[in-house]
Amino acid sequence: PHNIPHPITLKTMFATKAASLLLRRSATAASSRAAAAVTSRALGNGIANSNPRFMSSSDVATFDLTGSFETHNLETAPNNTIDMTKDELLSHFELMYTMRRMEITCDNEYKARAIRGFCHLYDGQEAVATGINAAFDPEDSWITSYRCHCVSLARGGTVASILGELFGNIGGQTQGKGGAMHFYNKEH
C-alpha cells in the first residue's frame, strides 16, 4: 500500500519557515537603502532626471535604449525610449532581490539534499524574468524552460508555494508533483 504523507510534515514546516525568513530579510530597511543606492547607480547614465536618488514616487525617468537591441522580421521596431516611475523601478528591484534570495536558499537546500532531483537555478538571470514580465500583460501565457522558479515568482506565485513545490509538499505550485522543473499554474 502507498503511504500518503500527512500535509503537515517536517519539510512543509521547513519550507514555510524558509519562506518566512526569506521574506523578512527582503523587507528590511537595509534592502530598501540598497535598492535606492543600486537604482541610483544603475540609472545614472540613461536617466533624464538629474538625480534619481531623490525622485519622488510620481517622477518619471526616461531611458534611451538606442543601439541596445536589434529586431528580426518585425514590421515595426519597438520604441527606443521607455518611461518608468520610481515606484516601478523599486518594485522591479524588490522582485529581483527576492528572486536572488530565493534561489540562493534553493541552492543551499539542494546541496544539503533537502531538494531532490534536479534543481536548475536562475540566479544571475533575475533581470530577464523581471523585464519580460514587465512587458507582458497579466493574461499573457509564458512557457519556460527548466529554469522556472523565478518566472513563477514574477507571474504571481509566492516564495512559500515555490519552495513547497521544490520540497515536494502538497502546498507547492503543482501540489508537490512537479518538483524543480515542472511548474504549472493556470492562474499565474
Side-chain angles (χ1 to χ4, degrees):
H2 291 47
N3 292 333
I4 299 174
H6 190 273
I8 306 284
T9 63
L10 186 59
K11 282 185 179 180
T12 304
M13 290 186 289
F14 180 78
T16 303
K17 182 70 173 174
S20 172
L21 288 171
L22 182 62
L23 290 174
R24 242 183 283 145
R25 285 183 191 151
S26 68
T28 62
S31 70
S32 296
R33 285 191 303 275
V38 169
T39 301
S40 295
R41 284 193 305 272
L43 302 180
N45 293 333
I47 191 166
N49 191 329
S50 61
N51 195 342
R53 178 177 287 163
F54 298 107
M55 289 174 63
S56 72
S57 60
S58 62
D59 286 343
V60 175
T62 301
F63 299 91
D64 183 9
L65 306 175
T66 304
S68 62
F69 62 88
E70 294 179 17
T71 61
H72 180 72
N73 290 338
L74 292 176
E75 293 177 14
T76 60
N79 291 334
N80 281 326
T81 61
I82 184 170
D83 296 329
M84 297 189 86
T85 66
K86 182 178 181 178
D87 289 341
E88 289 173 319
L89 292 169
L90 288 174
S91 173
H92 293 324
F93 177 81
E94 182 181 356
L95 176 61
M96 289 187 288
Y97 181 81
T98 304
M99 288 175 178
R100 176 66 61 95
R101 297 298 309 158
M102 181 180 73
E103 291 297 90
I104 289 170
T105 300
C106 292
D107 185 34
N108 292 335
E109 294 308 316
Y110 181 72
K111 289 174 182 171
R113 298 181 187 257
I115 296 174
R116 299 184 316 202
F118 294 105
C119 187
H120 300 281
L121 300 173
Y122 206 80
D123 50 337
Q125 303 174 54
E126 297 87 357
V128 176
T130 303
I132 292 171
N133 193 57
F136 276 178
D137 291 325
E139 65 274 357
D140 289 339
S141 296
W142 190 346
I143 299 173
T144 70
S145 64
Y146 47 85
R147 297 182 195 275
C148 53
H149 316 144
C150 291
V151 172
S152 180
L153 186 65
R155 295 301 284 177
T158 64
V159 172
S161 68
I162 293 166
L163 291 178
E165 187 61 35
L166 295 172
F167 286 109
N169 296 329
I170 197 160
Q173 289 252 261
T174 57
Q175 299 171 342
K177 298 175 185 175
M181 296 192 296
H182 303 287
F183 277 58
Y184 174 77
N185 190 321
K186 191 172 184 176
E187 182 181 336
H188 300 126

